Amino acid sequence: MIDYTKYLRISKFPLIWCAGCGNGIVLKSILRAIDKIGWAKDEICMVSGIGCSSRTPGYVDFNTLHTTHGRAIAFATGVKMAKPELHVIVVTGDGDATAIGGNHYIHAARRNIDMTVVIFNNNIYGMTGGQVSPTTPMGMKASTAPYGSVEASFNISGLAEAAGASFVARGTVYHVFQLDKLIERALLKRGFSVVEVLTPCPTAYGRRNRMGTGVDMIRWQKEHTVSVQEAGKLTPEQLQDKIITGVFVDVDRPEYVETYQKLVQSLRERAQKH
Amino acid sequence: MQGQKRPRIEVMTGNDACAEGALAAGLRFFAGYPITPSSEIAEILSYRLPQVGGAFIQMEDEIGAMGAVIGASLAGAKAMTATSGPGFSLKQENIGYAAMAEVPCVIVDVQRGGPSTGLPTLPSQMDVMQARWGTHGDHEIIALCPYSVRETFDLTVRAFNLAERFRTPVILLMDEIIAHVNEKVVMPEPGEIEVYERKMPHCPPEEFLPYKFTEDDIPPMASFGTGYRFHVTGLCHDETGFPTNDPVQIDRLIRRLNRKISRHRDLIVEVAEDQLEDAEIGVVAYGSTARAARRAVALARQEGIRVGLLRPLVLWPFPDKEVRALAEKVDHIIVPELNMGQVAHEVEWAACGKAAVHRLNRVDGEPIPPQDILQAIKEVAR
Ligand SMILES: Cc1ncc(C[n+]2csc(CCOP(=O)(O)OP(=O)(O)O)c2C)c(N)n1
Ligand code: SF4
């Protein structure tokens, strides 16, 4: 059993999150993965944007940076380049990462800069009270989509895959053992890694869409997800109302900071020769 | 660079001098997004930074560049970005963040004509107020304004020193003429350049308060990854750095952020005076316009007019005491500038009615020629 208190800033408790919110489950999963790997707290920098999920860094005893809305990955890029030995973990919401921060998200994936982005996907803007997000499924209600969203939604994982991330996976707070492994693999991956975590927001999303309590929403995850492996065996009809979980991408590509440091090294050597 | 001695005399532009000044001040990280007329600063640093073991990155936009600069500074690097008008607007939210979270960094704004994309290749001085009030919230800011290539070098070094010393973002307000003019520059010897490093904590990590109230209002600053684990946020925070809604703590923080600059204004403010000893007319000019003003003052002196020039090198905090002293000495103050009177307004406020303030504004993308300023001097001399 891991001693969570080792990593938590207990004096900052209670958490701001609502009863039934899935964010705490994701936080514990991240801590278990870090504990398993055995990184020291000083080696870790956790960066977030703005939103309910982005409050996570306030509760953990690492080097922590709560930035502006959507800009976590940009701030994290500076941290990583200035101090490459730090393990940089970005925690962000679906709106933070793919609406206002969408540009940084795809470009960090393209550069393949070494950091892990854990996206708490609750399909809504939680902190500001339930406005539509780029991941709100079409037809679902939000405070700014009172008749149901009329926009197509983003596939967060697909976006990272297309943009060139080294590791992309989707998990849920229901499949928590799988989630631990996905986050662990992402943290250990050299390059830009993404774990999209489906997490319930009973307050801003569930209530408006009559999805019940947090527990009901987690049960919904169990019934509406299939693993990548299972999905391969199913027909398109069977897959229609299912969300696929598991690892979508695990490849090795040149990593940005390492590539840059090689350049610095080669310039050094050239200067010494002359 | 070892072994080979740099030639002391070079021909360079303001953008060159800015990049070299930043390196001399210890720049190790630059993030930017290209925009005329600032792009050469990024181009030069993309070439020079990896040579000195630093890092350059061209981000996807100005917002990201400003964010990366803040991240790098928190990780311990002296960090800078450079942009122009529209890009400066995009950076504002994160400049406010740097002010709130007290992250030293330098933002270069090579001003161009606006509003909007305006005049990308032509000179202006239209961002004086954007530098002061561009971001939301209430905080002091430091902005420097060079008028020559050599001064660009010096003020870039100074911008870093002030940023590190006061734990704050510092803005270097250049203009297109200074950025692109080629001038002969006598470079300072490396030993002549004073470089300031941020104040680090010496206490054990468990006692470290990243936003401690100290005698001088400037808290020592640790870098990420040095054993001091701390929290940084743009939210109102207490001395520990964690968010607070306590009115007492909020008030203390916002007042300290303002005070740490305002109380040290005498250390920051810098003006140059030219022929003011016996002056009856004063000209207040800055940046490239001050070059024309100097010439106009010299020409007027030849005609026996007692006129002198007050040239702010630091626009924010505004040199109000210096302008007030001038107003008490002269009857008229002429303020030529490439905007509709952004500094003239400050001069009027500082002069307190002690001298008549005359505006000379040009907003058509052309510089103000010395003759126009001379004419304005002659008109009030009559
Ligand atoms: C520039 C800017 N625009 C808007 C906001 C307001 N805002 C705060 S959080 C948020 C949405 C958060 O949604 P998400 O990222 O999905 O996170 P969640 O709260 O659901 O975890 C918005 C729009 C802001 N803080 N800054
Ligand atoms: S609003 Fe939603 S996401 Fe935010 S804390 Fe409450 S349940 Fe969680």
Side-chain angles (χ1 to χ4, degrees), chain A residues 191-265:
Chain A
F192 191 75
S193 55
V194 174
V195 182
E196 175 190 354
V197 189
L198 306 183
T199 171
C201 167
T203 308
Y205 184 66
R207 200 162 39 103
R208 191 170 275 105
N209 287 293
R210 301 187 189 286
M211 296 181 77
T213 64
V215 175
D216 295 327
M217 292 179 77
I218 293 175
R219 201 171 291 127
W220 184 95
Q221 292 187 340
K222 177 188 172 192
E223 288 154 11
H224 290 82
T225 50
V226 291
S227 69
V228 192
Q229 293 79 6
E230 282 171 62
K233 299 176 206 144
L234 300 179
T235 63
E237 291 75 45
Q238 288 169 311
L239 276 175
Q240 201 145 55
D241 67 338
K242 295 283 189 289
I243 299 168
I244 302 174
T245 62
V247 177
F248 305 122
V249 179
D250 187 357
V251 293
D252 290 312
R253 290 181 46 219
E255 191 274 327
Y256 177 73
V257 178
E258 201 174 277
T259 308
Y260 198 89
Q261 285 185 323
K262 276 188 197 144
L263 165 74
V264 170
Q265 192 55 36

Coordinates of all heavy atoms in Angstrom, one line a residue, chain A residues 191-265:
Chain A
G191 N 9.4 11.3 -24.5 CA 8.7 12.0 -25.6 C 7.4 12.5 -25.0 O 7.1 12.5 -23.8
F192 N 6.5 13.0 -25.9 CA 5.2 13.6 -25.5 C 4.2 12.4 -25.3 O 3.9 11.7 -26.2 CB 4.8 14.5 -26.6 CG 3.6 15.4 -26.2 CD1 3.8 16.5 -25.3 CD2 2.3 15.1 -26.6 CE1 2.7 17.2 -24.9 CE2 1.2 15.9 -26.3 CZ 1.4 17.0 -25.4
S193 N 3.8 12.3 -24.1 CA 2.8 11.2 -23.8 C 1.5 11.8 -23.2 O 1.6 12.8 -22.5 CB 3.4 10.2 -22.8 OG 3.9 10.9 -21.7
V194 N 0.4 11.2 -23.6 CA -0.9 11.7 -23.2 C -1.7 10.6 -22.6 O -1.8 9.5 -23.2 CB -1.7 12.2 -24.5 CG1 -3.1 12.6 -24.1 CG2 -0.9 13.4 -25.0
V195 N -2.3 10.8 -21.5 CA -3.3 9.9 -21.0 C -4.6 10.7 -20.8 O -4.7 11.6 -20.1 CB -2.9 9.2 -19.7 CG1 -4.0 8.2 -19.2 CG2 -1.6 8.5 -19.8
E196 N -5.6 10.3 -21.6 CA -6.9 10.9 -21.5 C -7.7 10.1 -20.6 O -7.9 8.9 -20.8 CB -7.6 11.0 -22.9 CG -9.0 11.5 -22.9 CD -9.8 11.3 -24.2 OE1 -9.2 10.8 -25.2 OE2 -11.0 11.5 -24.2
V197 N -8.2 10.7 -19.5 CA -8.9 10.0 -18.5 C -10.4 10.4 -18.5 O -10.6 11.6 -18.3 CB -8.3 10.2 -17.1 CG1 -9.0 9.2 -16.1 CG2 -6.8 10.0 -17.1
L198 N -11.3 9.5 -18.7 CA -12.7 9.9 -18.6 C -13.1 9.9 -17.1 O -12.8 8.9 -16.4 CB -13.5 8.8 -19.3 CG -13.1 8.6 -20.8 CD1 -14.1 7.6 -21.4 CD2 -13.1 9.9 -21.6
T199 N -13.6 11.1 -16.7 CA -13.9 11.2 -15.3 C -15.2 11.9 -15.1 O -15.5 12.9 -15.9 CB -12.7 12.0 -14.6 OG1 -13.1 12.3 -13.3 CG2 -12.3 13.2 -15.3
P200 N -16.0 11.5 -14.2 CA -17.3 12.1 -14.1 C -17.4 13.4 -13.4 O -16.6 13.6 -12.4 CB -18.1 11.1 -13.2 CG -17.0 10.4 -12.4 CD -15.8 10.4 -13.2
C201 N -18.2 14.3 -13.9 CA -18.5 15.6 -13.2 C -20.0 15.5 -12.9 O -20.8 16.0 -13.8 CB -18.1 16.8 -14.1 SG -18.8 18.3 -13.5
P202 N -20.4 15.0 -11.8 CA -21.8 14.9 -11.6 C -22.5 16.3 -11.4 O -23.6 16.5 -11.8 CB -21.9 14.2 -10.2 CG -20.5 14.2 -9.6 CD -19.6 14.4 -10.8
T203 N -21.7 17.3 -10.9 CA -22.3 18.6 -10.7 C -22.6 19.4 -11.9 O -23.8 19.9 -12.1 CB -21.3 19.4 -9.8 OG1 -20.9 18.6 -8.7 CG2 -21.9 20.7 -9.3
A204 N -21.7 19.5 -12.8 CA -21.9 20.4 -13.9 C -22.3 19.7 -15.2 O -22.9 20.3 -16.1 CB -20.6 21.2 -14.2
Y205 N -22.1 18.4 -15.3 CA -22.4 17.7 -16.5 C -23.5 16.7 -16.2 O -24.6 16.6 -16.9 CB -21.2 17.0 -17.1 CG -21.4 16.2 -18.4 CD1 -21.7 16.9 -19.5 CD2 -21.3 14.9 -18.4 CE1 -21.9 16.3 -20.7 CE2 -21.5 14.2 -19.6 CZ -21.8 14.9 -20.8 OH -22.0 14.2 -21.9
G206 N -23.3 15.8 -15.2 CA -24.2 14.7 -14.9 C -25.6 15.2 -14.6 O -26.6 14.7 -15.1
R207 N -25.7 16.2 -13.7 CA -27.0 16.7 -13.3 C -27.8 17.2 -14.4 O -29.0 16.8 -14.6 CB -26.8 17.8 -12.3 CG -27.9 18.1 -11.4 CD -27.5 18.9 -10.1 NE -26.4 19.9 -10.5 CZ -26.7 21.2 -10.6 NH1 -27.9 21.7 -10.4 NH2 -25.7 22.0 -11.0
R208 N -27.2 18.0 -15.3 CA -27.9 18.6 -16.4 C -28.4 17.5 -17.4 O -29.4 17.7 -18.1 CB -27.1 19.7 -17.1 CG -27.8 20.5 -18.1 CD -27.0 21.7 -18.5 NE -27.1 22.8 -17.7 CZ -26.1 23.3 -16.8 NH1 -25.0 22.6 -16.7 NH2 -26.3 24.3 -16.1
N209 N -27.6 16.5 -17.5 CA -27.9 15.4 -18.5 C -28.6 14.2 -17.8 O -28.6 13.1 -18.4 CB -26.7 15.1 -19.3 CG -26.3 16.2 -20.3 OD1 -27.0 16.4 -21.2 ND2 -25.2 16.8 -20.0
R210 N -29.0 14.4 -16.6 CA -29.7 13.3 -15.9 C -29.0 12.0 -15.9 O -29.5 11.0 -16.2 CB -31.1 13.1 -16.5 CG -32.0 14.3 -16.4 CD -33.4 14.1 -16.9 NE -34.2 15.3 -17.0 CZ -34.6 16.1 -16.0 NH1 -34.4 15.7 -14.8 NH2 -35.2 17.2 -16.2
M211 N -27.7 12.1 -15.5 CA -26.9 10.9 -15.5 C -26.7 10.3 -14.0 O -25.9 9.4 -13.8 CB -25.5 11.2 -16.1 CG -25.7 11.6 -17.6 SD -24.1 11.9 -18.3 CE -23.5 10.3 -18.6
G212 N -27.4 10.9 -13.1 CA -27.3 10.4 -11.7 C -26.1 10.9 -10.9 O -25.6 11.9 -11.2
T213 N -25.8 10.1 -9.9 CA -24.7 10.5 -9.0 C -23.3 10.2 -9.7 O -23.3 9.5 -10.8 CB -24.8 9.7 -7.7 OG1 -24.5 8.3 -8.1 CG2 -26.1 9.8 -7.0
G214 N -22.3 10.5 -9.0 CA -20.9 10.2 -9.5 C -20.8 8.7 -9.7 O -20.2 8.2 -10.6
V215 N -21.3 7.9 -8.7 CA -21.3 6.5 -8.8 C -22.0 6.0 -10.1 O -21.5 5.1 -10.8 CB -21.8 5.8 -7.5 CG1 -21.9 4.3 -7.7 CG2 -21.0 6.3 -6.3
D216 N -23.2 6.5 -10.3 CA -23.9 6.1 -11.5 C -23.1 6.4 -12.8 O -23.1 5.6 -13.7 CB -25.2 6.9 -11.6 CG -26.2 6.6 -10.5 OD1 -26.2 5.4 -10.0 OD2 -26.9 7.5 -10.0
M217 N -22.4 7.6 -12.7 CA -21.7 7.9 -13.9 C -20.5 7.0 -14.1 O -20.1 6.7 -15.3 CB -21.2 9.4 -13.8 CG -22.4 10.4 -13.9 SD -21.9 12.1 -13.7 CE -21.2 12.4 -15.3
I218 N -19.9 6.6 -13.0 CA -18.8 5.6 -13.1 C -19.3 4.3 -13.6 O -18.6 3.6 -14.5 CB -18.0 5.5 -11.8 CG1 -17.3 6.8 -11.4 CG2 -17.0 4.4 -11.8 CD1 -16.7 6.9 -10.1
R219 N -20.4 3.9 -13.2 CA -21.0 2.7 -13.7 C -21.3 2.8 -15.2 O -21.1 1.9 -16.0 CB -22.3 2.4 -12.9 CG -22.8 1.0 -13.0 CD -23.9 0.7 -12.1 NE -23.6 0.7 -10.6 CZ -24.3 1.4 -9.7 NH1 -25.3 2.2 -10.1 NH2 -23.9 1.4 -8.5
W220 N -21.7 4.0 -15.6 CA -21.9 4.2 -17.0 C -20.6 3.9 -17.8 O -20.7 3.3 -18.9 CB -22.4 5.7 -17.2 CG -22.7 6.1 -18.6 CD1 -24.0 6.1 -19.2 CD2 -21.8 6.5 -19.6 NE1 -23.9 6.5 -20.5 CE2 -22.6 6.7 -20.8 CE3 -20.4 6.7 -19.7 CZ2 -22.0 7.2 -22.0 CZ3 -19.9 7.1 -20.9 CH2 -20.7 7.4 -22.1
Q221 N -19.5 4.3 -17.2 CA -18.2 4.1 -17.9 C -18.0 2.6 -18.1 O -17.5 2.2 -19.2 CB -17.1 4.6 -17.0 CG -17.1 6.1 -16.9 CD -15.8 6.6 -16.2 OE1 -15.2 5.9 -15.5 NE2 -15.5 7.9 -16.4
K222 N -18.3 1.8 -17.1 CA -18.1 0.4 -17.2 C -18.9 -0.2 -18.4 O -18.4 -1.0 -19.2 CB -18.6 -0.3 -15.9 CG -18.5 -1.8 -15.9 CD -19.2 -2.3 -14.6 CE -19.3 -3.8 -14.6 NZ -20.2 -4.3 -13.6
E223 N -20.1 0.3 -18.5 CA -21.0 -0.2 -19.6 C -20.8 0.3 -21.0 O -21.2 -0.3 -21.9 CB -22.5 0.1 -19.2 CG -23.0 -0.8 -18.0 CD -24.1 -0.1 -17.2 OE1 -24.6 0.9 -17.7 OE2 -24.4 -0.6 -16.1
H224 N -20.1 1.5 -21.0 CA -19.9 2.1 -22.3 C -18.5 2.1 -22.9 O -18.2 2.9 -23.8 CB -20.5 3.5 -22.3 CG -22.0 3.5 -22.2 ND1 -22.7 3.3 -21.0 CD2 -23.0 3.6 -23.2 CE1 -24.0 3.4 -21.3 NE2 -24.2 3.5 -22.6
T225 N -17.6 1.4 -22.3 CA -16.3 1.4 -22.8 C -15.9 -0.1 -23.1 O -16.3 -1.0 -22.5 CB -15.3 1.9 -21.7 OG1 -15.5 1.2 -20.5 CG2 -15.4 3.4 -21.5
V226 N -15.0 -0.1 -24.1 CA -14.4 -1.4 -24.5 C -12.9 -1.2 -24.7 O -12.5 -0.1 -25.1 CB -15.0 -2.0 -25.8 CG1 -16.4 -2.5 -25.6 CG2 -14.9 -1.1 -27.0
S227 N -12.1 -2.2 -24.5 CA -10.7 -2.1 -24.6 C -10.3 -2.1 -26.1 O -11.1 -2.6 -26.9 CB -9.9 -3.2 -23.9 OG -10.2 -4.4 -24.5
V228 N -9.2 -1.6 -26.5 CA -8.7 -1.6 -27.9 C -8.8 -3.1 -28.4 O -9.2 -3.3 -29.5 CB -7.3 -1.1 -28.0 CG1 -6.9 -0.9 -29.4 CG2 -7.1 0.1 -27.2
Q229 N -8.3 -4.0 -27.6 CA -8.3 -5.4 -28.0 C -9.7 -5.9 -28.3 O -9.9 -6.5 -29.4 CB -7.7 -6.3 -26.9 CG -6.2 -6.0 -26.6 CD -6.0 -4.8 -25.8 OE1 -6.9 -4.2 -25.2 NE2 -4.7 -4.4 -25.6
E230 N -10.6 -5.7 -27.4 CA -12.0 -6.2 -27.6 C -12.6 -5.5 -28.8 O -13.3 -6.1 -29.6 CB -12.9 -5.8 -26.4 CG -12.8 -6.6 -25.2 CD -13.6 -6.0 -24.0 OE1 -14.8 -5.9 -24.2 OE2 -12.9 -5.6 -23.1
A231 N -12.3 -4.2 -28.9 CA -12.9 -3.4 -30.0 C -12.6 -4.0 -31.4 O -13.5 -4.0 -32.3 CB -12.4 -2.0 -29.9
G232 N -11.4 -4.6 -31.5 CA -11.1 -5.2 -32.8 C -12.0 -6.3 -33.2 O -12.1 -6.7 -34.4
K233 N -12.6 -6.9 -32.2 CA -13.5 -8.1 -32.5 C -14.9 -7.7 -32.7 O -15.8 -8.5 -33.1 CB -13.4 -9.1 -31.3 CG -12.1 -9.6 -31.0 CD -12.1 -10.5 -29.8 CE -10.7 -10.6 -29.1 NZ -10.8 -10.6 -27.6
L234 N -15.3 -6.4 -32.5 CA -16.7 -6.0 -32.6 C -17.0 -5.4 -33.9 O -16.1 -4.8 -34.6 CB -17.0 -5.0 -31.5 CG -16.8 -5.5 -30.0 CD1 -17.1 -4.4 -29.0 CD2 -17.6 -6.7 -29.8
T235 N -18.3 -5.4 -34.3 CA -18.7 -4.8 -35.6 C -18.9 -3.3 -35.3 O -19.1 -2.9 -34.2 CB -20.1 -5.4 -36.0 OG1 -21.0 -5.1 -35.0 CG2 -20.0 -6.9 -36.2
P236 N -18.9 -2.5 -36.4 CA -19.2 -1.1 -36.2 C -20.5 -0.8 -35.5 O -20.6 0.1 -34.7 CB -19.3 -0.6 -37.7 CG -18.5 -1.6 -38.5 CD -18.6 -2.9 -37.8
E237 N -21.5 -1.6 -35.7 CA -22.8 -1.4 -35.0 C -22.6 -1.6 -33.5 O -23.1 -0.8 -32.7 CB -23.9 -2.4 -35.5 CG -24.3 -2.2 -36.9 CD -23.3 -2.6 -38.0 OE1 -22.8 -3.7 -37.8 OE2 -23.0 -1.8 -38.9
Q238 N -21.9 -2.7 -33.2 CA -21.7 -3.0 -31.7 C -20.8 -1.9 -31.1 O -20.9 -1.6 -29.9 CB -21.0 -4.3 -31.6 CG -21.9 -5.5 -31.9 CD -21.1 -6.8 -31.9 OE1 -20.1 -6.9 -32.6 NE2 -21.6 -7.8 -31.2
L239 N -20.0 -1.2 -31.9 CA -19.1 -0.2 -31.3 C -19.8 1.2 -31.3 O -19.2 2.1 -30.7 CB -17.9 -0.1 -32.2 CG -16.7 -1.1 -31.9 CD1 -15.6 -0.9 -32.9 CD2 -16.2 -0.9 -30.5
Q240 N -20.9 1.3 -31.9 CA -21.5 2.6 -32.0 C -21.6 3.5 -30.8 O -21.2 4.6 -30.8 CB -23.0 2.5 -32.6 CG -23.4 3.8 -33.3 CD -24.3 3.5 -34.5 OE1 -25.3 2.7 -34.4 NE2 -23.9 4.0 -35.6
D241 N -22.1 2.9 -29.7 CA -22.2 3.7 -28.5 C -21.1 3.4 -27.5 O -21.3 3.6 -26.3 CB -23.6 3.6 -27.8 CG -23.8 2.2 -27.3 OD1 -23.0 1.2 -27.7 OD2 -24.6 2.0 -26.4
K242 N -20.0 2.9 -28.0 CA -18.9 2.6 -27.1 C -17.7 3.5 -27.2 O -17.4 4.1 -28.3 CB -18.4 1.2 -27.4 CG -19.4 0.1 -27.2 CD -19.5 -0.3 -25.7 CE -20.3 -1.5 -25.4 NZ -21.8 -1.3 -25.7
I243 N -17.0 3.7 -26.1 CA -15.8 4.5 -26.1 C -14.6 3.5 -25.9 O -14.7 2.6 -25.1 CB -15.8 5.5 -24.9 CG1 -16.9 6.5 -25.1 CG2 -14.4 6.3 -24.9 CD1 -17.2 7.3 -23.9
I244 N -13.6 3.6 -26.8 CA -12.5 2.7 -26.7 C -11.4 3.2 -25.7 O -11.1 4.3 -25.7 CB -11.9 2.5 -28.1 CG1 -13.0 2.0 -29.1 CG2 -10.7 1.5 -28.1 CD1 -12.6 1.9 -30.5
T245 N -10.9 2.2 -24.9 CA -9.9 2.6 -24.0 C -8.6 1.7 -24.2 O -8.7 0.7 -24.9 CB -10.3 2.3 -22.5 OG1 -10.6 0.9 -22.4 CG2 -11.5 3.2 -22.1
G246 N -7.5 2.1 -23.7 CA -6.3 1.4 -23.8 C -5.2 2.2 -24.5 O -5.4 3.5 -24.6
V247 N -4.2 1.6 -25.0 CA -3.1 2.3 -25.6 C -3.2 2.4 -27.1 O -3.4 1.4 -27.7 CB -1.7 1.6 -25.2 CG1 -0.6 2.2 -25.9 CG2 -1.5 1.5 -23.7
F248 N -3.2 3.6 -27.6 CA -3.4 3.8 -29.0 C -2.1 3.9 -29.7 O -2.0 3.6 -30.9 CB -4.3 5.0 -29.3 CG -5.6 5.0 -28.6 CD1 -6.0 6.0 -27.7 CD2 -6.5 3.9 -28.9 CE1 -7.2 5.9 -27.1 CE2 -7.7 3.9 -28.2 CZ -8.1 4.9 -27.3
V249 N -1.1 4.5 -29.1 CA 0.2 4.8 -29.7 C 1.2 4.5 -28.7 O 1.1 4.9 -27.5 CB 0.3 6.3 -30.1 CG1 1.7 6.6 -30.7 CG2 -0.8 6.7 -31.0
D250 N 2.3 3.8 -29.1 CA 3.5 3.7 -28.3 C 4.6 3.5 -29.2 O 4.9 2.4 -29.7 CB 3.3 2.5 -27.3 CG 4.5 2.4 -26.4 OD1 5.4 3.2 -26.4 OD2 4.4 1.5 -25.5
V251 N 5.2 4.6 -29.6 CA 6.3 4.6 -30.7 C 7.5 5.4 -30.1 O 7.3 6.2 -29.2 CB 5.8 5.2 -32.0 CG1 4.8 4.3 -32.6 CG2 5.4 6.6 -31.8
D252 N 8.6 5.2 -30.8 CA 9.8 5.9 -30.4 C 10.1 6.9 -31.5 O 10.3 6.5 -32.7 CB 11.0 5.0 -30.1 CG 10.8 4.2 -28.9 OD1 10.4 4.9 -27.9 OD2 10.9 3.0 -28.9
R253 N 10.1 8.2 -31.2 CA 10.4 9.2 -32.2 C 11.5 10.1 -31.5 O 11.6 10.2 -30.3 CB 9.2 10.0 -32.5 CG 8.2 9.3 -33.3 CD 7.0 10.3 -33.6 NE 7.5 11.6 -34.0 CZ 7.0 12.7 -33.7 NH1 5.9 12.8 -32.9 NH2 7.5 13.9 -34.1
P254 N 12.3 10.8 -32.3 CA 13.2 11.7 -31.7 C 12.5 12.7 -30.8 O 11.5 13.3 -31.1 CB 13.8 12.5 -32.9 CG 13.5 11.6 -34.1 CD 12.3 10.9 -33.8
E255 N 13.1 12.9 -29.6 CA 12.5 13.7 -28.6 C 13.1 15.1 -28.7 O 14.3 15.3 -29.0 CB 12.7 13.1 -27.2 CG 12.0 13.8 -26.1 CD 12.6 15.0 -25.5 OE1 13.9 15.1 -25.4 OE2 11.9 16.0 -25.1
Y256 N 12.3 16.2 -28.5 CA 12.8 17.5 -28.8 C 13.9 18.0 -27.9 O 14.9 18.5 -28.5 CB 11.5 18.5 -28.6 CG 11.9 19.9 -28.8 CD1 12.1 20.4 -30.1 CD2 12.0 20.8 -27.8 CE1 12.5 21.7 -30.3 CE2 12.4 22.1 -28.0 CZ 12.6 22.6 -29.2 OH 12.9 23.8 -29.4
V257 N 13.9 17.9 -26.6 CA 14.9 18.5 -25.8 C 16.2 17.7 -26.0 O 17.3 18.4 -26.1 CB 14.5 18.4 -24.3 CG1 15.6 18.9 -23.4 CG2 13.3 19.2 -24.1
E258 N 16.1 16.4 -26.2 CA 17.3 15.6 -26.5 C 18.0 16.1 -27.8 O 19.2 16.2 -27.9 CB 16.9 14.2 -26.5 CG 18.0 13.2 -26.3 CD 17.5 11.8 -26.2 OE1 17.0 11.4 -25.1 OE2 17.5 11.1 -27.3
T259 N 17.1 16.2 -28.8 CA 17.6 16.7 -30.1 C 18.3 18.0 -30.0 O 19.4 18.3 -30.5 CB 16.4 16.8 -31.1 OG1 15.7 15.5 -31.1 CG2 16.9 17.0 -32.5
Y260 N 17.7 18.9 -29.2 CA 18.2 20.3 -29.0 C 19.6 20.2 -28.3 O 20.5 20.9 -28.7 CB 17.3 21.2 -28.3 CG 17.6 22.6 -28.4 CD1 17.1 23.4 -29.5 CD2 18.5 23.3 -27.6 CE1 17.4 24.7 -29.7 CE2 18.8 24.6 -27.8 CZ 18.3 25.3 -28.8 OH 18.6 26.6 -29.0
Q261 N 19.7 19.3 -27.3 CA 20.9 19.2 -26.5 C 22.0 18.6 -27.4 O 23.2 19.0 -27.2 CB 20.7 18.4 -25.3 CG 19.9 19.2 -24.2 CD 19.8 18.5 -22.9 OE1 19.6 17.3 -22.9 NE2 19.9 19.2 -21.8
K262 N 21.7 17.7 -28.3 CA 22.7 17.2 -29.2 C 23.2 18.3 -30.1 O 24.4 18.4 -30.4 CB 22.1 16.1 -30.1 CG 22.0 14.7 -29.4 CD 21.6 13.7 -30.4 CE 21.2 12.4 -29.7 NZ 20.1 11.7 -30.4
L263 N 22.3 19.2 -30.5 CA 22.8 20.3 -31.3 C 23.7 21.2 -30.5 O 24.8 21.6 -31.0 CB 21.5 21.2 -31.7 CG 21.8 22.6 -32.3 CD1 22.4 22.5 -33.7 CD2 20.5 23.4 -32.3
V264 N 23.4 21.5 -29.3 CA 24.2 22.3 -28.4 C 25.6 21.7 -28.2 O 26.6 22.3 -28.4 CB 23.6 22.5 -27.0 CG1 24.5 23.1 -26.0 CG2 22.3 23.4 -27.1
Q265 N 25.6 20.3 -28.0 CA 26.8 19.6 -27.9 C 27.7 19.7 -29.1 O 28.9 19.9 -29.0 CB 26.5 18.1 -27.5 CG 27.6 17.3 -27.1 CD 28.3 17.9 -25.8 OE1 27.6 18.5 -25.0 NE2 29.6 17.8 -25.8

